[in-house]
Amino acid sequence: MIAFKEKYKDNLILVKSFEFAKKIVIYTEELESKRKFVVANQLLKSGTSIGANIKEAQNAESKADFIHKFKIAMKEADETEFWLFLCNELENYPNPEELLNDLFEILKVTNKIISTSKSK
């Protein structure tokens, strides 16, 4: 079976968002083990949705559709940032620093893709 990372190795944002989603799943499983179900659920949904929307954009029907799907990914990333900042501020929550750094990188690349796509 071919691995996601292998299949999309030439697509930086797909690989980054997929790797981020994997880390989000692991982090939210840790939250659930600490009985932090509400935050874990919200974070799992928004954090994995980023990559799903970026993947969906790969088959966009038009440039406008492509940009729209990336904008949805940006909204999900913004929501994810909120939840990670919240986790960072709460006692007895695992440190989300690595996830925040990864997310900032994804936001930077995604912003660049949107602005480049708009200018073409």
Side-chain angles (χ1 to χ4, degrees):
M1 181 199 291
I2 192 162
F4 186 95
K5 204 171 177 179
E6 183 183 327
K7 182 174 181 180
Y8 296 105
K9 65 181 180 268
D10 296 330
N11 191 324
L12 173 71
I13 193 60
L14 265 181
V15 171
K16 281 188 177 299
S17 61
F18 185 78
E19 291 301 314
F20 181 76
K22 286 178 10 184
K23 289 179 183 179
I24 284 289
V25 169
I26 293 165
Y27 184 83
T28 56
E29 285 174 351
E30 186 178 349
L31 288 177
E32 287 175 351
S33 75
K34 296 174 186 269
R35 305 186 54 79
K36 315 289 189 198
F37 300 115
V38 173
V39 173
N41 188 41
Q42 292 292 105
L43 188 54
L44 181 64
K45 287 178 184 178
S46 65
T48 56
S49 183
I50 299 164
N53 280 291
I54 290 170
K55 177 70 174 95
E56 194 175 331
Q58 306 309 299
N59 295 307
E61 295 176 14
S62 65
K63 183 166 80 167
D65 187 36
F66 178 84
I67 292 168
H68 177 70
K69 288 185 182 2
F70 263 89
K71 284 184 174 181
I72 293 171
M74 287 287 293
K75 288 180 180 182
E76 295 294 339
D78 284 341
E79 181 181 342
T80 301
E81 181 185 61
F82 172 84
W83 293 114
L84 290 173
F85 277 142
L86 182 62
C87 290
N88 196 47
E89 296 288 323
L90 294 169
E91 286 186 36
N92 303 318
Y93 275 67
N95 185 332
E97 190 174 341
E98 182 184 343
L99 286 168
L100 280 165
N101 289 334
D102 291 348
L103 183 61
F104 295 150
E105 229 178 281
I106 289 168
L107 282 165
K108 207 176 351 176
V109 174
T110 303
N111 249 330
K112 184 68 175 166
I113 289 168
I114 291 169
S115 63
T116 301
S117 297
K118 284 181 176 180
S119 67
K120 287 184 178 180

